[in-house]
Amino acid sequence: MYISLEDSYVVRVPPELLNENYDQAVLDAARSVLEGKIIDIENKDNVSIGKTYIISLENIKRIGDGSIVHGDGGVYQTIQYTALAYYPKMQEIVDGVVKSIQKFGAFIKFGPFEGLLHISQIMDDSINVDLDNQILSGKDTKFLLKAGDKIRVKIVSLNLSSSSLSDSKIGLTAKQPGLGKEDWIKNDNIKN
C-alpha cells in the first residue's frame, strides 16, 4: 500500500555537490540516496516494523549543522523529511498487471514491485503454457491469463532483504476466493 511517512536520516553530501547553495546540495544528495531505494522503517521506539520503497521525498529540512569527517571531504547532514512510499505487507491483497508469462508462472507488477505468481498458485486446474503467445490457460475452466491482463492477488511471501527492487522476492497467490482476474471472480460468484 502507498503510505506517507516522516523520518530522519544522515545524508552524506559529496564534495562535488557543495557550492553556494548548500540547501540545494543537501536536497540533491538526499534524493539521490533515498529515492528509488528500499529502506527499513521504525516505530517511535526505534524498532523495525518492515521495509518500504521510497518513491519521492518532500519537505526535506536540515536539522542543525552538518559534520565534516577528517579525510572524507563530504558533509554529513541530518535531515528530516516526508516521503511517499510503497509498503507491501504479508497477506495484503493487491491489484496488478501481468508483465510476462514464463513456464513456471507469471510476473505481476503492482506498485513499484514485481512478484511471482507461481503456476501452482494461479488456479485449481491443470494449466497449459503457451510461451509464444504469452498465455496460461486452464484445461477445464478455459480461464486465460496473458501479458497485460489485470489480476487481483495476495502477497504470500515477502523478502525485501536488499535495497534494490530487482533483488526483492515476492510470492503471490490467486487461488483464494475473491482473487484472480475479474471474469474469474464473477464466474466464481455465479457458481456460489
Side-chain angles (χ1 to χ4, degrees), residues 20-89:
E20 292 179 20
N21 190 343
Y22 181 63
D23 286 332
Q24 185 63 46
V26 170
L27 194 136
D28 292 345
R31 286 200 166 121
S32 72
V33 169
L34 292 172
E35 287 183 343
K37 301 289 190 300
I38 297 173
I39 64 166
D40 276 312
I41 53 174
E42 300 172 342
N43 65 15
K44 53 188 161 197
D45 298 322
N46 294 327
V47 175
S48 177
I49 57 172
K51 294 190 178 243
T52 189
Y53 177 80
I54 301 295
I55 296 168
S56 66
L57 297 180
E58 300 295 327
N59 304 322
I60 300 169
K61 296 179 183 146
R62 289 189 295 128
I63 307 297
D65 293 328
S67 301
I68 298 173
V69 176
H70 178 71
D72 185 333
V75 176
Y76 291 83
Q77 177 66 57
T78 301
I79 60 168
Q80 188 163 2
Y81 64 89
T82 304
L84 173 63
Y86 192 89
Y87 179 53
K89 293 198 282 189

Side-chain angles (χ1 to χ4, degrees), residues 10 25 28 61 77 79 89 104 114 119 131 154 160 171:
V10 177
D28 292 345
K61 296 179 183 146
Q77 177 66 57
I79 60 168
K89 293 198 282 189
F104 50 83
E114 268 190 31
I119 201 162
L131 291 177
K154 181 187 272 190
L160 306 178

Side-chain angles (χ1 to χ4, degrees), residues 131-149:
L131 291 177
D132 293 334
N133 295 310
Q134 290 282 286
I135 297 174
L136 298 173
S137 58
K139 184 177 179 185
D140 296 328
T141 61
K142 306 296 184 216
F143 287 166
L144 298 176
L145 185 65
K146 59 186 183 309
D149 283 350

Side-chain angles (χ1 to χ4, degrees), residues 14 19 23 35 45 65 75 83 90 92 94 97 110 115 122 142-143 149 154 163 169 174 180 182:
N19 56 35
D23 286 332
E35 287 183 343
D45 298 322
D65 293 328
V75 176
M90 285 291 292
E92 180 181 4
V94 296
V97 175
F110 63 98
I122 296 173
K142 306 296 184 216
F143 287 166
D149 283 350
K154 181 187 272 190
S163 66
K169 299 204 180 345
E182 189 175 334

Side-chain angles (χ1 to χ4, degrees), residues 151-175:
I151 187 167
R152 181 168 292 150
V153 293
K154 181 187 272 190
I155 298 173
V156 292
S157 68
L158 189 60
N159 182 354
L160 306 178
S161 59
S162 168
S163 66
S164 167
L165 278 180
S166 61
D167 293 336
S168 300
K169 299 204 180 345
I170 300 172
L172 308 168
T173 187
K175 285 178 81 167

